[in-house]
Structure formats: C-alpha cells, structure tokens
C-alpha cells in the first residue's frame, strides 16, 4: 500500500534501521523492487529522477507505482519520492501528482542560494503535506572531481545546522565521501568520513540523514552510516547493472526468444535479488509484521 514517507521514517527511527530508496524507471524495475519488499517484509521507498520522468512520463510512472503498491505490495508500505529535483517546477509537478516526498537538489549553488531555492520548494511541499529533502555538500561521481576537490565539497556540520533550520527540510542528503554512479564500482569506493558524519548527526540529531550513492558500498559501510544517523539509503546503479547485465545474458543465450515478457522476466528477478540483499544490510528486512 502507498503510504506517506513520514510513516516510514517514524518506524525506522523507532526501530533503528534504515530505509532503502531505490530508483525505478518503468514497470519492470518497479515490480522487481516491490517484489523484494514483499518477500523481505520490508518497507520501501520508490524514487524517480527527472530523467526517468522524461522517459516514462509523470502520469504513467506515478500510475505504475500506485497500481503496483496497491496490488502487488499488499500490506507492505511503499512511498513515492522525487529524487534530485532540480527545479521548483518539477517539485511542484510531483507534489501535485501525489508523491509524498520530494528532493530539491540545489547543492551545486552557493550556500545562501541553496537555502533560498530549497526553502521555496519546502514551503510549497509542506503546504500540501509533502516531505522535503535538501542536499548540502555535493555528491559527485568519482570521475568528476579530484579527491582534494571532493573533500572541499563535503558537508560541514555547522552549515548543516543552519541549512536545516533556515530551509526547513525534513531530511538532509549529506556528502561524506559518498559518490554517485558506476565509476566507483570500477575504481574503488573511497569510503565514508564517519567522523564528519558523526559531527553532523550530533548537531542535528532529529534530522534523518540521507546517504546517496550506495551502490557498491559494503554492508559494513552501510551499517556504520546507520550508526551515525543515516536513515535513508539511495541505490540506483547496482539495480541498473543487474537489470542490464541480465538482459544481455538472456538475449545472448536465448537468440530465439522474442516475447518481451520472456526477455524481461530474468531482469526483473535480478533487480529483486539485489534489492533483497540491500534490505538485509539496511536492517529493514523483516520490519513489517
Ligand atoms: O543520483 C542520481 C540517480 O542515479 C538518477 O540518475 O538522472 O540518470 O535517472 P538519472
Ligand atoms: P548510485 O547510483 O551510486 O547507487 O546512487 C544512487 C543515488 O544516489 C540516487 O539518488
Ligand atoms: Zn543521488
């Protein structure tokens, strides 16, 4: 069933586990993630990026999530989130479409502009009862910046406190060494700055922190993150790899099949498997009684 993100956060905080936020872009990826949630008895956040909205259409992707949450998920709580909203317009569209949470990502703007842009989105979302995530510090891909530049882009604890109080966000995405995209899985994951994370959590203990770029992180890294206030963990690339590698394998090994359902089913199962593993690491598995 589709629920508001606030319900999921409340339970995760109470029981001390993290929620998985998984990027989906179509019917197949949605089914894969939701089947994992059902099998693992885990709450789940389904999130769509602006790119996925362009690909599938907002109405279509929203309807897919609503239908799958109502039918396949049964009693398992599912929430729908906008990932990395870059404009007020896309935030507003997702709020109107029925998302229970949005992200306004103005993290590449200077501090004051980030606060102004985020607050504008937060105020709009809150008027409609929708939760809002902001980002402070910048989570880049490994290929985009040097290690020295990355350090400068990390979240500063005092600024985080000011950002949360001025922008009014419900959750905060932090940059603590986490990296977006596939390249960290090829070149090695730089690891988390746990001291920094701890100092952020100490200064804003009531703000659930969001860890982007979780693909390729070890179970231990994830557990360490949760210890210091991470409540939501975003995974995209690992799902994409599972889907696509399986699709390639299916087609190469079955040159005669042409029914899209036969082509896609192993990829849906691959998404489900990766999601189930993540839910174990997060501690969200078994949390729906
Ligand atoms: O963190 C970003 C997500 O992986 C979304 O990426 O814009 O290619 O859908 P995308
Ligand atoms: P990865 O693709 O690195 O898992 O990051 C996902 C993410 O942060 C989505 O917002
Ligand atoms: Zn992200």
């Amino acid at each position: 069933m589709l629920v508001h993100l606030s319900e999921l956060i409340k339970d995760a905080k109470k029981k001390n586990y993290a929620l998985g936020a998984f990027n989906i872009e179509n019917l197949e990826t949605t089914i894969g993630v939701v089947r994992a949630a059902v099998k693992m008895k885990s709450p789940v956040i389904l999130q769509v990026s602006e790119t996925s909205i362009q690909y599938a259409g907002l109405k279509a992707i929203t309807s897919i999530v609503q239908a799958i949450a109502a039918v396949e998920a049964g009693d398992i709580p599912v929430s729908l989130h906008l990932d990395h909203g870059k404009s007020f317009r896309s935030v507003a569209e997702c709020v109107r479409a029925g998302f229970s949470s949005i992200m306004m990502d103005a993290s590449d703007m200077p501090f004051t502009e980030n606060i102004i842009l985020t607050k504008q989105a937060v105020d709009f979302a809150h008027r409609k009862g929708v939760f809002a995530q902001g980002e402070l510090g910048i989570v880049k891909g490994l290929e985009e910046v040097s290690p020295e530049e990355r350090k400068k882009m990390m979240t500063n604890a005092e600024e985080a406190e000011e950002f949360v109080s001025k922008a009014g966000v419900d959750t905060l995405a932090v940059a603590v060494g986490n990296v977006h995209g596939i390249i960290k899985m090829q070149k090695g994951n730089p690891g988390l700055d746990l001291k920094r994370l701890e100092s952020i959590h100490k200064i804003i203990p009531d703000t659930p922190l969001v860890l982007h770029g979780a693909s390729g992180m070890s179970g231990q890294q994830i557990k360490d993150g949760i210890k210091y206030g991470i409540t939501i963990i975003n995974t995209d690339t690992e799902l994409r790899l599972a889907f696509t590698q399986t699709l390639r394998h299916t087609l190469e090994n079955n040159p005669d099949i042409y029914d899209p359902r036969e082509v896609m089913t192993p990829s849906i199962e691959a998404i489900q498997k990766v999601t189930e593993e993540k839910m174990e690491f997060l501690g969200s598995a078994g949390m729906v009684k």
Side-chain angles (χ1 to χ4, degrees), residues 80-255:
L80 175 58
H81 173 74
L82 168 67
D83 188 31
H84 293 285
K86 287 299 215 180
S87 69
F88 179 80
R89 190 191 165 137
S90 59
V91 164
E93 283 172 356
C94 290
V95 167
R96 289 195 192 102
F99 288 41
S100 81
S101 62
I102 55 87
M103 174 183 193
M104 180 69 205
D105 177 5
S107 60
D108 50 356
M109 302 296 276
F111 184 63
T112 309
E113 277 91 331
N114 187 359
I115 291 177
I116 293 168
L117 290 168
T118 305
K119 183 169 170 28
Q120 197 184 26
V122 169
D123 288 348
F124 182 84
H126 283 178
R127 279 201 295 278
K128 311 275 182 195
V130 167
F131 261 28
Q133 178 186 143
E135 178 167 322
L136 185 65
I138 308 178
V139 181
K140 287 266 186 199
L142 261 191
E143 72 284 26
E144 294 173 85
V145 287
S146 67
E148 295 73 37
E149 285 171 307
R150 178 176 313 286
K151 197 142 202 156
K152 286 191 211 138
M153 291 177 172
M154 287 190 193
T155 311
N156 167 284
E158 283 74 29
E159 283 186 354
E161 185 183 29
E162 187 180 345
F163 182 83
V164 167
S165 90
K166 290 190 171 157
V169 290
D170 303 288
T171 61
L172 181 68
V174 289
V176 289
N178 42 322
V179 170
H180 271 134
I182 189 170
I183 203 145
K184 62 174 180 282
M185 296 165 74
Q186 298 157 336
K187 291 200 170 166
N189 200 326
L192 300 180
D193 182 343
L194 292 175
K195 272 215 159 89
R196 185 180 292 269
L197 182 58
E198 187 179 15
S199 66
I200 298 167
H201 182 45
K202 255 196 184 141
I203 212 161
I204 45 170
D206 297 329
T207 305
L209 303 177
V210 185
L211 188 68
H212 285 243
S215 291
M217 275 186 195
S218 67
Q220 192 54 49
Q221 280 181 316
I222 288 177
K223 284 186 181 128
D224 289 342
I226 297 169
K227 204 157 99 193
Y228 296 116
I230 296 292
T231 305
I232 297 175
I233 297 195
N234 283 14
T235 304
D236 187 357
T237 303
E238 269 189 70
L239 300 186
R240 292 182 184 187
L241 283 171
F243 187 92
T244 312
Q245 284 168 351
T246 305
L247 192 57
R248 262 191 209 106
H249 184 266
T250 306
L251 291 170
E252 276 167 16
N253 287 284
N254 302 278

